[in-house]
Amino acid sequence: MTAVGDPPRPAPAARPALGQFVRATTTPAKLRLLLVGLVSLCLIWGGVAAWVVSQRASGANDVVGTSEPLSLDGQQIYRALSDADATAASAFLSGGLEPLAARRRYQADIAQAAAHLESATAAAGHSPAARNLATLSAGLPVYTGEVETARADNRLGLPLGAAYLREASGLMRGTLLPAARDVSAQANGQLSVASGRATGLPLALVLLVAAAAVGYVLYRAQRWLFSRTHRILSPGLVVASVAAVVSLLWLVIAVGVARADLLQARAHGSAPVAALAQADIAALRAHADESLTLIDAGGDDSFQADFKAVQHQLGPGSGTLLTGAVTAARGSPGAGSAAAAATTATAWYAAHRTVRFLDDNGKHTQAVRLAATPGPGHSGTLFARLDSSLTGAIAAEQVVFRSSAVAGRDAFTGLEAGVIVLSLIMAVGCARGLSRRLAEYR
Amino acid sequence: MKPRHWLRLPPLLLVVAAMAVWAVPGSAAVMAPPAHRLTAAAARATPSCDPTASLRPAGPPQVTPGSFMAKVRARGYLIAGVDQSTYHFGYLNPLDGKIEGFDIDMVRAVAAAIFGNPDKIEFKAISDAQRIPGIQSGAIDIVAHTMTINCARLQQVDFSTVYYAAGQRVLVEANSLVKGIADLGGKKVCATTGSTSIANIKAALSHPVPVAVPFWTDCLVLLQQGDVAAISTDDSILAGLAGQDPWTKIVGPRFSFEPYGLAISKQHPDFVRFVNAVLQRIRADGQWAASYARWVGTPVPAPPPARYKD
């Protein structure tokens, strides 16, 4: 960068021997040294500030443009597949004439999973999520094929249908859901890193230290000039100082606002979303367990055991997913729905116990009716309420996340270019101010 | 503004961090470790006995005062432990939500003899492993569950006379050249985990490769997908599988003998005699043959003869 304002006459005095220049015994020599030092300092300041800003802005950009969509895709794939598993099992339970709503819901789940799978694959590039996404792409058609075979056999009244459904569910739970969970986890990891880059404190401290150094040097330079020349104001240096103050204020405000927005996005957006999504996915799994236990009917209690295990994790209760989600959502728009979900879960467990009691005591048909048809106090209805509370809370939190993250990113608009231009103005100001004084010694 | 990524963490760190955050519990693979149909393998190593001889009935079935049957009648229903997934023996018909099959017809005949109404039954779907404990604890009155009578089991529970004589055979796809267990050397053959069938496959001289799964219908899934060459178990169960897929056939001779009996507690010899009287009646009046024709097929053989030890 050679944007130093032309020293009016770069004649003999401006080209002393190197040794003399460095030792700077005379005032003009000192002035020359100061000029070079100040201009360099301004340019370095501009560079450092622009670098810090670009780091933060690219972090914020990543959050909004890449990590958040990928994390959303991952979570949607995971949820859609869990929902497909639960819906296929619950529809199967209704026999050959499965309810149209359940059929539509299953189809929508598969369509949604496929769509998010495609966009996630495009967004993931060569990231670690790519391999899991490939597993999902390969496994999804196999899964749907098995579910359709199960339906066809069920429609014929063959117990073989249940075996195909078990096989499909085994593929879903053994291969597809773990892959979806990993994609979600990888995407969330990426989101945390991007968000950390945009909000981390160390870089902000670098910026403050640099600003303090520049401010101090500018101040000392003007004091020194005053003591030497007895002129209070040098217009060039004043311009440089004003530019320094402006750039510092802009930086502090933009970085502060962006940080607050992104932290808000995290605290009231992505963190509750992740907690709620985990709870929802666990609830879906337990719902599938309930149906599969009724379908299996061979006295095999592994799905019921899984229900118990998932219920234990889901809660509510201290250290459980639901209570965690309620805590995470506290003070956010999804808080009401999250709390309602926790209450509904308890009622659902009670209804589930009734289903098991009926089924265990030879009343399979009544148990199925309670699990698969809508009605007050029916297990199926209570689960649907739990699920919609959780998805409602997730949607509310996602809105918060999106708007806060976008606001955080937008706070950086024009800032990088701005600090570069301001630092150039500072450099020119210093150069002009000092070269004026220097000229007076001719 | 150009994004710069100088500060990115290495991807591995990312993954580790992410997993720590998102370790959703309880999502391991799901297929249950099974317990299955047919006899326990332990059955083989027990004192010899005459397994098919049961208690002689005292005339036609009669609910005498003070008998176990009188208690059941007072309760209002018979509690039967059954299978819900073995087509044509004990299975839940998805079309009407009712449990049906040859095994079920046997208990219905018993209920009819007690109540004059074959529907007075509370069915409990149980696994193989729950059959003997269910009887011993008194939670179940009678088990009708393709259950082979053998000496080991006779030490724990009582059995009725034989109501069905099964034997192990082989099920293959219709175009298969396999003619029996002898042709299956080195090939994959499916049966349920812990069944006597899987033990018999392992012991076969031709050395097939046994493949164990939780349910018989799981074997049919594997056969249809080309993952196994054959299924081998009791011909009664094979007939139920073949009934679900017309592109399969049962081949080869029987290479084991599996006599099925209804299991009853050793506490209730009066009930065993009563059930034997019921079986004797349905053998004679054509009910047994009608059930056989409905669930197993025609031609209907002579029912297995009742043998008594008095």
Side-chain angles (χ1 to χ4, degrees):
Chain A
M1 191 87 259
T2 51
V4 183
D6 266 14
R9 234 155 281 155
R15 300 183 134 245
L18 188 64
Q20 192 192 343
F21 185 92
V22 173
R23 261 179 265 115
T25 45
T26 62
T27 302
K30 285 184 178 163
L31 269 176
R32 231 175 269 123
L33 184 61
L34 184 63
L35 186 150
V36 172
L38 277 181
V39 167
S40 312
L41 191 65
C42 291
L43 295 179
I44 290 170
W45 157 251
V48 168
W51 178 70
V52 169
V53 168
S54 81
Q55 282 300 315
R56 300 212 140 212
S58 90
N61 255 330
D62 256 13
V63 167
V64 176
T66 313
S67 314
E68 191 241 347
L70 183 60
S71 147
L72 194 59
D73 281 332
Q75 185 220 314
Q76 297 280 20
I77 293 168
Y78 196 9
R79 194 196 172 275
L81 291 181
S82 300
D83 198 72
D85 186 38
T87 309
S90 139
F92 188 94
L93 199 50
S94 309
L97 298 175
E98 54 185 15
L100 190 61
R103 179 75 189 145
R104 293 266 153 82
R105 180 167 171 166
Y106 169 79
Q107 286 169 330
D109 283 335
I110 297 299
Q112 203 189 9
H116 284 288
L117 199 49
E118 196 181 328
S119 59
T121 306
H126 294 289
S127 73
R131 217 166 86 197
N132 286 313
L133 288 166
T135 304
L136 286 167
S137 297
L140 192 57
V142 179
Y143 170 78
T144 54
E146 287 172 352
V147 168
E148 294 313 312
T149 309
R151 285 183 70 226
D153 286 333
N154 199 33
R155 189 106 197 186
L156 292 171
L158 302 177
L160 181 60
Y164 269 101
L165 191 74
R166 251 190 336 265
E167 171 108 348
S169 196
L171 172 66
M172 177 59 88
R173 292 164 171 225
T175 308
L176 300 186
L177 287 180
R181 187 191 59 212
D182 290 351
V183 167
S184 209
Q186 283 152 348
N188 276 340
Q190 215 165 311
L191 180 60
S192 303
V193 170
S195 172
R197 258 192 318 135
T199 58
L201 280 177
L203 277 183
L205 287 179
V206 166
L207 208 57
L208 275 182
V209 169
V214 170
Y216 179 73
V217 170
L218 274 176
Y219 168 75
R220 289 298 302 221
Q222 292 183 66
R223 284 279 310 252
W224 181 79
L225 269 184
F226 176 70
S227 68
R228 281 299 156 105
T229 62
H230 302 286
R231 306 237 183 118
I232 297 174
L233 289 177
S234 146
L237 285 179
V238 168
V239 167
S241 302
V242 170
V245 169
V246 168
S247 71
L248 183 63
L249 281 179
W250 190 356
L251 277 169
V252 166
I253 290 170
V255 167
V257 165
R259 184 162 195 275
D261 281 336
L262 289 168
L263 289 180
Q264 158 94 358
R266 204 163 171 66
H268 295 290
S270 60
V273 165
L276 287 161
Q278 281 193 54
D280 190 34
I281 284 162
L284 285 164
R285 183 183 177 96
H287 182 53
D289 283 332
E290 179 174 77
S291 304
L292 288 166
T293 305
L294 288 168
I295 290 166
D296 245 10
D300 172 25
D301 61 355
S302 61
F303 289 115
Q304 175 57 18
D306 193 61
F307 183 100
K308 289 273 176 208
V310 176
Q311 174 186 341
H312 189 70
Q313 290 157 11
L314 187 57
S318 76
T320 60
L321 292 174
L322 267 175
T323 303
V326 169
T327 313
R330 192 162 290 151
S332 300
S337 301
T343 318
T344 311
T346 310
W348 177 43
Y349 299 146
H352 172 77
R353 278 195 295 276
T354 312
V355 168
R356 289 314 317 149
F357 177 80
L358 288 171
D359 189 39
D360 288 340
N361 288 283
K363 302 198 167 46
H364 184 78
T365 314
Q366 288 96 312
V368 168
R369 204 168 57 81
L370 214 58
T373 63
H378 284 200
S379 170
T381 304
L382 288 168
F383 167 76
R385 195 179 303 158
L386 168 64
D387 181 47
S388 72
S389 292
L390 286 171
T391 47
I394 290 170
E397 299 294 340
Q398 248 152 13
V399 170
V400 175
F401 177 80
R402 182 86 204 152
S403 59
S404 302
V406 167
R409 179 196 60 182
D410 290 350
F412 289 114
T413 309
L415 181 56
E416 189 178 3
V419 291
I420 289 174
V421 168
L422 284 167
S423 76
L424 291 181
I425 290 173
M426 284 161 66
V428 172
C430 291
R432 295 221 28 130
L434 289 176
S435 53
R436 280 277 164 78
R437 296 284 174 273
L438 202 52
E440 286 160 9
Y441 283 87
R442 284 269 135 81
Chain B
M1 255 172 262
K2 230 192 292 169
R4 291 166 212 175
H5 297 162
W6 302 333
L7 292 187
R8 267 206 181 141
L9 289 173
L12 183 66
L13 263 184
L14 262 185
V15 176
V16 171
M19 284 180 167
V21 176
W22 260 77
V24 176
S27 27
V30 142
M31 279 299 213
H36 273 293
R37 250 118 290 236
L38 288 189
T39 46
R44 303 282 140 147
T46 22
S48 63
C49 70
D50 182 0
T52 59
S54 183
L55 300 175
R56 186 180 296 279
Q62 225 177 354
V63 180
T64 45
S67 67
F68 181 69
M69 294 74 80
K71 276 187 214 153
V72 171
R73 185 186 270 173
R75 183 206 290 146
Y77 52 89
L78 179 69
I79 303 174
V82 298
D83 193 351
Q84 284 194 355
S85 58
T86 300
Y87 201 39
H88 291 168
F89 272 75
Y91 80 104
L92 184 74
N93 184 341
L95 298 181
D96 58 14
K98 286 189 178 143
I99 298 175
E100 300 173 352
F102 190 79
D103 281 347
I104 308 304
D105 278 1
M106 299 301 116
V107 242
R108 284 172 63 82
V110 173
I114 299 174
F115 301 100
N117 179 351
D119 294 327
K120 299 250 177 195
I121 303 173
E122 182 178 298
F123 289 110
K124 280 192 189 280
I126 56 171
S127 68
D128 289 20
Q130 291 167 332
R131 294 183 297 195
I132 289 176
I135 288 289
Q136 286 179 325
S137 71
I140 293 169
D141 301 333
I142 187 167
V143 162
H145 199 297
T146 59
M147 190 169 182
T148 302
I149 308 170
N150 64 36
C151 296
R153 288 174 175 167
L154 272 169
Q155 294 184 323
Q156 300 172 290
V157 296
D158 242 336
F159 281 98
S160 69
T161 53
V162 179
Y163 68 88
Y164 188 91
Q168 187 161 349
R169 294 180 70 193
V170 170
L171 183 83
V172 291
E173 298 207 285
N175 62 356
S176 169
L177 299 176
V178 170
K179 298 237 176 341
I181 192 78
D183 296 340
L184 286 165
K187 296 193 174 143
K188 288 184 182 170
V189 179
C190 185
T192 58
T193 313
S195 62
T196 45
S197 308
I198 198 104
N200 291 339
I201 293 168
K202 280 179 194 153
L205 296 175
S206 54
H207 299 300
V209 180
V211 174
V213 296
F215 293 91
W216 290 114
T217 42
D218 294 336
C219 277
L220 188 52
V221 170
L222 292 185
L223 186 72
Q224 287 185 349
Q225 295 182 336
D227 291 334
V228 297
I231 304 171
S232 180
T233 180
D234 300 359
D235 45 9
S236 50
I237 294 169
L238 291 182
L241 296 178
Q244 299 181 64
D245 183 350
W247 298 98
T248 59
K249 61 182 180 187
I250 301 175
V251 296
R254 286 182 168 182
F255 58 96
S256 77
F257 176 53
E258 313 284 346
Y260 293 167
L262 302 170
I264 293 162
S265 167
K266 280 186 171 303
Q267 311 290 316
H268 309 307
D270 52 346
F271 191 40
V272 177
R273 290 179 199 278
F274 179 86
V275 168
N276 282 341
V278 174
L279 291 177
Q280 193 53 50
R281 182 153 82 189
I282 66 170
R283 281 190 194 98
D285 68 5
Q287 258 194 72
W288 186 93
S291 279
Y292 192 100
R294 178 173 180 203
W295 298 114
V296 186
T298 48
V300 179
R307 297 183 60 249
Y308 300 112
K309 59 187 172 192
D310 295 297

